[in-house]
Amino acid sequence: RPKLGQELNRLKTLFQTSLKEKLKQIEFQKVRASKIDITLPGRGQTVGTHHIIQQVVDEIIDIFVALGFTVARGPEVETSFYNFTALNIPDTHPSRLETDTLYVDYGDDDEGVLLRTHTSPMQARYMEQNDPPVYVVVPGKVFRSDPLDPTHSPVFHQVEGLAVDTEITFGDLKGTLKMFAKQLLGKDTEVKFIPH
């Protein structure tokens, strides 16, 4: 009797192990038949999202890149030369005053170092390094010495474009702006140009 009991327990364990193995094989075949490759690594969950301003800037950049423009980015801390002088802004212009511009105490530059007031310094920087034709779009954060109120902010985003080529006309600018507005705001958007 004890020998028979031991043999039955051994057969029972063997049967359960075989049954489990067969069930695993059947489950694997079902998964395989569903065309899911379980050998691929899993997908991680993304956390967070882009800020709405960044989403709009990215959309604007995508439109200009599709039109053949190159994206250029520059420093947020700029020299007075690139921010003003290289853009033909005279020494007496009010935007050079500390009431309008945020200067920083850095370096030995006699003209001054500042937080850029526009993305236009990249026009001069890009033109120094690239011969025409030039089609460039410059996104970026800019800084002004403005009090915060519903119509002003000391920090805001700007996207500007520059096109330098032969036989380019004002009509090209209007066509580019019209195409941009329709891409960004919808194809049914009506565009009206008012000379000022």
Side-chain angles (χ1 to χ4, degrees):
R1 199 172 212 211
K3 284 188 175 188
L4 182 62
Q6 286 177 350
E7 186 63 24
L8 286 174
N9 282 336
R10 189 184 68 77
L11 288 173
K12 176 183 163 189
T13 304
L14 183 64
F15 176 76
Q16 287 175 337
T17 304
S18 296
L19 181 63
K20 283 182 184 177
E21 188 61 38
K22 192 63 173 174
L23 289 173
K24 279 184 187 176
Q25 287 177 358
I26 292 170
E27 189 62 31
F28 180 76
Q29 293 300 330
K30 280 184 188 177
V31 170
R32 209 166 172 203
S34 69
K35 299 195 190 241
I36 296 174
D37 187 354
I38 60 172
T39 63
L40 290 175
R43 291 189 184 119
Q45 241 181 337
T46 55
V47 179
T49 184
H50 287 282
H51 190 278
I52 186 69
I53 292 174
Q54 189 60 51
Q55 290 178 33
V56 173
V57 169
D58 289 344
E59 188 174 351
I60 291 169
I61 290 169
D62 288 346
I63 292 168
F64 278 101
V65 167
L67 291 172
F69 284 72
T70 300
V71 179
R73 298 180 193 276
E76 292 179 357
V77 178
E78 190 59 86
T79 64
S80 184
F81 173 79
Y82 284 108
N83 199 77
F84 298 120
T85 308
L87 301 170
N88 294 323
I89 297 173
D91 291 341
T92 57
H93 196 278
S95 66
R96 287 182 179 250
L97 299 175
E98 287 187 12
T99 55
D100 285 357
T101 299
L102 299 167
Y103 285 89
V104 296
D105 186 14
Y106 179 81
D108 297 328
D109 191 330
D110 292 337
E111 287 191 52
V113 178
L114 50 102
L115 297 179
R116 68 179 175 194
T117 59
H118 44 193
T119 56
S120 301
M122 273 311 294
Q123 289 184 14
R125 288 181 179 278
Y126 195 85
M127 292 291 289
E128 281 179 341
Q129 298 171 4
N130 299 277
D131 293 327
V134 168
Y135 293 87
V136 65
V137 63
V138 185
K141 223 184 292 183
V142 296
F143 308 87
R144 305 269 173 91
S145 185
D146 288 336
L148 183 61
D149 65 34
T151 61
H152 296 87
S153 174
V155 181
F156 57 95
H157 290 76
Q158 182 179 50
V159 179
E160 84 175 54
L162 173 69
V164 178
D165 203 347
T166 57
E167 299 182 27
I168 196 168
T169 68
F170 191 70
D172 294 310
L173 172 64
K174 287 173 63 176
T176 301
L177 293 175
K178 185 175 181 180
M179 174 67 77
F180 166 74
K182 288 183 175 288
Q183 289 289 318
L184 185 67
L185 304 172
K187 63 180 180 177
D188 296 330
T189 300
E190 300 230 1
V191 179
K192 182 177 182 180
F193 292 97
I194 301 171
H196 183 277

